[in-house]
Amino acid sequence: MEIVPNQLYAVVTGDIIRSSQLQKKVHSRLNRVLKSNAKLLSDKFKGFIPYEMDFFRGDSWQVVILNPEMSLRIALLFRLLLHTGMSSVKVDTRMAIGVGNIDFVPENNVSSGIGEAFTISGRGLERMPRNQFTSFYINNDENEDIAICLQIITKLIDAIATKWTLKQAKAIQGALFGLSQDQISSTWDPPITQPTVANHLKRASWGAIENGLDYFERTLKEYQLNRYSRQRL
């Protein structure tokens, strides 16, 4: 992929919480689930994820996203897929979204990438509070208000998502993939009813999550368009 100078990209850096405490067989299963989830997201968001998601140090991961406005949706889905994929064992991840320029990305080694987005994301994960699971950072020299607003939206969605039950997480996962309630119901084994799916989504505050994501994506996209227009002047 050709890196465009001065274009904004998103880098999401994450680590598995308390991974050293997991049993060996759980680690093995976790590795399979992480790689399977990475492939699923790459397939579902083809065009947005240009490089294979990188896993390193045994419990850390990193992904580059071409369109920064999609970063929160993709990060949230990755966390949900981890919950549902490791349903018998409580496993979670912390994630820091960094938006900025990128200078260079090795084709098969994303975690060795260089640029502002990588730096912002990595440092964001290091300084993120332990009781928070998802954070958003952008160079706010140009518009501090937008940066603060998107950080607040991310924190609110993170706070709601942290309280989801496994069933609620599975229902939200389907909604984020764009499935109808009838389609979501058929992903259960055995299938559940559409009203049951609707109840899971309601209890998970899907309406608020959907509005928050829409606002995040629209605001960040408009910010990029305005930034591009200023650069051309």
Side-chain angles (χ1 to χ4, degrees):
M1 184 196 87
E2 181 182 356
I3 300 297
V4 180
N6 297 320
Q7 181 170 313
L8 293 180
Y9 300 88
V11 172
V12 186
T13 306
D15 61 9
I16 305 300
I17 299 172
R18 293 185 290 274
S19 62
S20 61
Q21 299 176 17
L22 300 176
Q23 297 179 357
K24 185 177 180 180
K25 62 180 181 180
V26 176
H27 262 296
S28 178
R29 181 183 169 196
L30 174 62
N31 184 61
R32 294 195 300 272
V33 168
L34 289 173
K35 291 183 178 180
S36 174
N37 292 348
K39 186 178 186 310
L40 177 60
L41 287 177
S42 293
D43 291 342
K44 291 289 185 179
F45 292 94
K46 186 171 288 187
F48 293 112
I49 303 177
Y51 304 102
E52 185 176 331
M53 187 179 292
D54 198 8
F55 299 96
F56 54 101
R57 292 203 307 258
D59 64 351
S60 301
W61 57 273
Q62 200 163 55
V63 62
V64 173
I65 301 172
L66 286 181
N67 300 62
E69 67 270 16
M70 296 298 294
S71 58
L72 182 55
R73 183 179 296 265
I74 291 173
L76 182 58
L77 261 170
F78 187 79
R79 187 180 177 198
L80 289 174
L81 288 167
L82 178 61
H83 284 183
T84 56
M86 299 293 293
S87 57
S88 60
V89 183
K90 190 173 182 180
V91 177
D92 211 335
T93 184
R94 299 167 72 246
M95 309 176 291
I97 303 167
V99 173
N101 303 138
I102 286 180
D103 299 324
F104 171 71
V105 183
E107 191 69 33
N108 298 311
N109 189 13
V110 165
S111 60
S112 294
I114 300 172
E116 182 183 44
F118 285 97
T119 302
I120 292 174
S121 179
R123 290 178 179 172
L125 185 64
E126 291 175 358
R127 68 172 185 258
M128 192 166 67
R130 287 294 170 183
N131 62 347
Q132 189 175 338
F133 294 85
T134 312
S135 58
F136 174 85
Y137 304 95
I138 186 172
N139 187 332
N140 59 11
D141 290 343
E142 297 180 18
N143 196 321
E144 186 176 2
D145 289 341
I146 287 180
I148 292 174
C149 180
L150 296 180
Q151 287 167 356
I152 291 172
I153 290 292
T154 301
K155 286 182 179 180
L156 290 173
I157 290 178
D158 176 71
I160 296 172
T162 300
K163 298 178 181 179
W164 286 335
T165 66
L166 184 61
K167 291 179 180 179
Q168 290 169 355
K170 187 169 183 177
I172 293 287
Q173 176 183 303
L176 286 172
F177 276 132
L179 302 179
S180 67
Q181 292 184 10
D182 285 327
Q183 290 172 323
I184 295 172
S185 69
S186 67
T187 64
W188 256 261
D189 186 18
I192 60 175
T193 64
Q194 176 272 323
T196 301
V197 172
N199 186 52
H200 288 325
L201 292 173
K202 180 179 179 180
R203 289 180 178 274
S205 301
W206 166 240
I209 296 294
E210 187 175 30
N211 289 340
L213 285 172
D214 286 345
Y215 180 84
F216 178 96
E217 292 166 6
R218 185 175 66 254
T219 301
L220 191 49
K221 190 169 185 178
E222 289 176 355
Y223 169 78
Q224 292 175 86
L225 290 173
N226 291 336
R227 182 176 181 271
Y228 179 71
S229 297
R230 289 195 301 272
Q231 289 175 349
R232 295 191 64 183
L233 293 177

